[in-house]
Amino acid sequence: MMRREIFGDEHEHFRAELRRFIEAEIEPRVAGWNSAGTTDHETWKRCGEQGYLGASAPEKYGGGGADFLFEAVIIEEIARVRAHALMLSLHSDICMPYLTHYGNEEQKERHLTAAISGESILAIAMTEPGTGSDLANVQTRAIRDGDEYVLNGAKTFISNGQICNLVIVVAKTDPSADPPHRGISLLLVEGDREGFERGRNLDKIGLKGQDTSELFFNDCRVPVANLLGKEGQGFKMLMNQLQQERLTIAVGSMASCRRSLDDTLAYVKERTAFGQPIGTFQNTQFKLAELATKVEIGQAFVDKLLAAHVRGDEIVKEVSMAKYFTTDLQKEVAAECLQLHGGYGFMEEYPIARDYRDAAVQSIYAGSNEIMKVIIARRLGLE
Ligand SMILES: Cc1cc2nc3c(=O)[nH]c(=O)nc-3n(C[C@H](O)[C@H](O)[C@H](O)COP(=O)(O)OP(=O)(O)OC[C@H]3O[C@@H](n4cnc5c(N)ncnc54)[C@H](O)[C@@H]3O)c2cc1C
């Protein structure tokens, strides 16, 4: 792979240290998490102690105050060892910015500090059994009653659902608002709040170690002080944060592509058929040449977007392109590399089998790839 110009010495130094930590403390736990269907609080705390939670969050609350490229390094190194179960990026890059950008001083002191130290694990609950892509149609309600909101509704597919200590809940504070998205607000709900129940940890085909759960709110009383930002501004806040959310997926997808490809390159040099390494067959060479080319091109685009994101550019259209392109590429790479492993590719023992299953969801969550194309088309002037 070509030298990646976006990273300076400070990022590479950080990467080297992080890699040592991951190899010592994360990688050995991955198989256990995959069997248990969840990660553990101790590891999150260790990540917090080492400065790997909120690396780009404000120093005032314990964060690293670094640029987003450090977060990209974390995403890549986690993907390199296939520790997808440990959703550091969801915590630091997707949930935490809501607290940083929209939290008041009291909320930041309380929740941001705890999230950065690893005392508190974050989740965000948008999706409901009846609505995912059509976010403005959420049915969960938070109706004001004095100094409290009374929260009622059900969420599903929530990452970190079982293990989280704080959930950012998307709810309608004004169910009759027209247009409906103007009635949406964001509420901070602590894990031990009465009326908040966790449902099943859902049985998935991939991302086995990541806990993905149902959440229920039954007359759950939440103080008005837990409102994030202003009432009715929830949808706008969500839209503002999605650029970064989608970029994190693209960064992770490219790292997963590289891992699948590297492992397959090693495999085809060793495995023999008809008395010669399978890597000497022209089909194998052409397949891997094609994939390596696509990965270089995808990485160049993602790196360009990372630099633009760090500069603060508005790149919603381009990030939507990257999210759709890289996650489709990840699925292609995983499927082709599995094929090159022959029957061994279908065995649990070979990580490429897991790559194939883990890749499937990348084009679905964080805004499905169809929704990405809707966004791109709109920005091309097509309504
Ligand atoms: C492992 C996992 C983790 C997740 N983590 C979280 C989380 O932490 N928090 C959270 O809130 N959600 C989470 N989700 C939910 C995820 O974001 C949704 O599944 C996703 O947004 C799609 O919504 P849906 O499942 O309701 O599908 P639907 O919206 O029902 O879509 C079904 C199909 O229709 C297509 N479609 C929908 N609308 C259009 C359109 N306008 N044009 C063209 N095609 C369209 C979709 O692209 C899709 O192919 C997670 C999901 C999974 C599987």
Side-chain angles (χ1 to χ4, degrees), residues 75-359:
I75 297 168
E76 291 179 352
E77 292 303 311
I78 287 286
R80 197 181 79 89
V81 298
R82 302 181 167 93
H84 312 297
L86 191 66
M87 300 200 77
L88 301 186
S89 178
L90 171 77
H91 177 85
S92 297
D93 308 327
I94 297 174
C95 296
M96 225 183 256
Y98 286 95
L99 295 169
T100 314
H101 295 141
Y102 308 115
N104 57 34
E105 203 45 45
E106 191 265 329
Q107 290 168 338
K108 286 188 201 175
E109 287 285 355
R110 206 167 136 218
H111 297 301
L112 194 53
T113 310
I116 291 169
S117 71
E119 288 298 312
S120 171
I121 301 172
L122 306 176
I124 183 159
M126 305 181 230
T127 309
E128 302 182 351
T131 192
S133 304
D134 184 10
L135 195 53
N137 190 35
V138 290
Q139 299 298 312
T140 298
R141 292 174 177 213
I143 305 302
R144 180 108 184 224
D145 180 24
D147 287 341
E148 293 172 325
Y149 290 103
V150 184
L151 188 61
N152 276 292
K155 298 287 180 182
T156 194
F157 303 150
I158 307 308
S159 306
N160 284 349
Q162 299 291 322
I163 203 173
C164 66
N165 305 91
L166 186 77
V167 196
I168 303 165
V169 178
V170 178
K172 287 252 169 84
T173 43
D174 179 4
S176 57
D178 185 22
H181 72 259
R182 293 228 179 102
I184 291 179
S185 303
L186 305 184
L187 288 181
L188 299 173
V189 180
E190 299 87 348
D192 56 1
R193 198 161 277 285
E194 206 176 317
F196 167 34
E197 277 173 40
R198 300 167 206 247
R200 286 175 302 153
N201 184 354
L202 301 163
D203 192 10
K204 309 183 292 298
I205 65 161
L207 296 186
K208 286 288 193 182
Q210 180 208 311
D211 101 65
T212 311
S213 298
E214 299 171 317
L215 305 179
F216 301 105
F217 304 96
N218 298 309
D219 287 332
C220 176
R221 291 188 163 266
V222 180
V224 169
N226 282 25
L227 176 73
L228 198 55
K230 292 204 179 75
E231 225 181 68
Q233 296 286 303
F235 196 79
K236 207 167 149 196
M237 293 187 251
L238 289 162
M239 293 303 122
N240 287 341
Q241 296 310 308
L242 289 175
Q243 171 169 310
Q244 180 157 307
E245 171 169 357
R246 287 163 186 167
L247 185 55
T248 66
I249 302 286
V251 171
S253 269
M254 292 315 304
S256 292
C257 285
R258 290 204 306 272
R259 184 65 211 236
S260 299
L261 205 51
D262 288 348
D263 286 2
T264 307
L265 281 167
Y267 184 78
V268 301
K269 286 176 193 157
E270 274 182 15
R271 176 75 180 169
T272 56
F274 299 94
Q276 61 195 89
I278 57 170
T280 59
F281 299 131
Q282 194 185 53
N283 175 68
T284 308
Q285 294 177 355
F286 280 13
K287 282 282 181 230
L288 289 171
E290 285 164 17
L291 295 176
T293 305
K294 289 180 190 177
V295 168
E296 282 285 358
I297 292 169
Q299 191 67 68
F301 185 43
V302 169
D303 285 358
K304 187 178 157 158
L305 297 187
L306 275 170
H309 186 64
V310 170
R311 278 199 307 273
D313 295 358
E314 195 268 339
I315 45 170
V316 169
K317 180 179 76 182
E318 291 77 7
V319 164
S320 307
M321 291 171 168
K323 196 269 172 185
Y324 124 63
F325 180 84
T326 60
T327 56
D328 276 1
L329 180 59
Q330 184 184 346
K331 291 200 289 190
E332 182 187 346
V333 168
E336 294 285 9
C337 288
L338 187 153
Q339 180 71 16
L340 291 175
H341 277 71
Y344 294 98
F346 200 63
M347 299 297 128
E348 288 291 346
E349 203 183 324
Y350 282 77
I352 194 67
R354 224 175 337 123
D355 291 351
Y356 179 79
R357 291 197 308 258
D358 291 346

